[in-house]
Amino acid sequence: MKHYRLVLIIGAVEVLIGTITVLFNLITLTLGTNNKSPNVLAFVVVSGIASLLIGLGILNLKKLAYQLLLYFSSVVILSKFLVFAGVISLNGALETTIPAPLKTVSSIVYHSLVIFYLKKSGVKQIFHT
């Protein structure tokens, strides 16, 4: 029972991230202030929708959402370290109004904590098919 609260918080955070990402980009697109190219905009909106859906799945304790969140958190952490190391670079259109170093560090910390918590004994058992 003690694991449910934090799992629900993680689900809510994912829903919030996805919702804000999608709404912000659609609003700025409607206002004509979104300068993202169509392919970058599609990537950002699809990523936001994925985060929203994974968050809803986490809130509903779905095993697939659990697995996808572990996978995508790992991909995010790896990509952030590769950016830090200078192995890859992001298209400038993916940048946001949040300073890149703050966004990168907070993303690494958040996703690391998500993986650490979701892999704790007893957490996986609360997710069902």
Side-chain angles (χ1 to χ4, degrees), residues 2 14 17 24 30 35 38-39 42 45-46 56 59 62 74 86 89 91 95 98-99 102 106-107 111 114:
K2 64 181 179 176
E14 289 298 319
I17 290 169
F24 178 79
T30 302
N35 57 1
N39 57 339
V45 170
V46 168
L56 291 172
L59 291 173
K62 298 295 183 183
S74 301
S89 62
N91 178 329
E95 296 302 317
I98 301 169
L102 175 63
S106 61
S107 181
H111 289 96
V114 165

Side-chain angles (χ1 to χ4, degrees), residues 35 43 52 57 65 67 102 122:
N35 57 1
F43 173 79
L52 172 62
Q67 293 167 332
L102 175 63

Side-chain angles (χ1 to χ4, degrees), residues 35-70:
N35 57 1
K36 290 179 175 56
S37 64
N39 57 339
V40 171
L41 180 63
F43 173 79
V44 170
V45 170
V46 168
S47 297
I49 291 169
S51 183
L52 172 62
L53 293 175
I54 288 170
L56 291 172
I58 294 293
L59 291 173
N60 288 302
L61 305 175
K62 298 295 183 183
K63 187 175 183 178
L64 179 60
Y66 167 87
Q67 293 167 332
L68 287 172
L69 185 53
L70 284 173

Side-chain angles (χ1 to χ4, degrees), residues 2-3 10 13 20 23 31 34 37 40 44 50 58 61 77 86 110 118 124 127:
K2 64 181 179 176
H3 294 296
I10 291 169
V13 167
I20 289 171
L23 286 179
L31 296 174
N34 191 315
S37 64
V40 171
V44 170
I58 294 293
L61 305 175
I77 291 169
Y110 169 72
L118 291 182
K124 184 177 181 177
F127 291 93

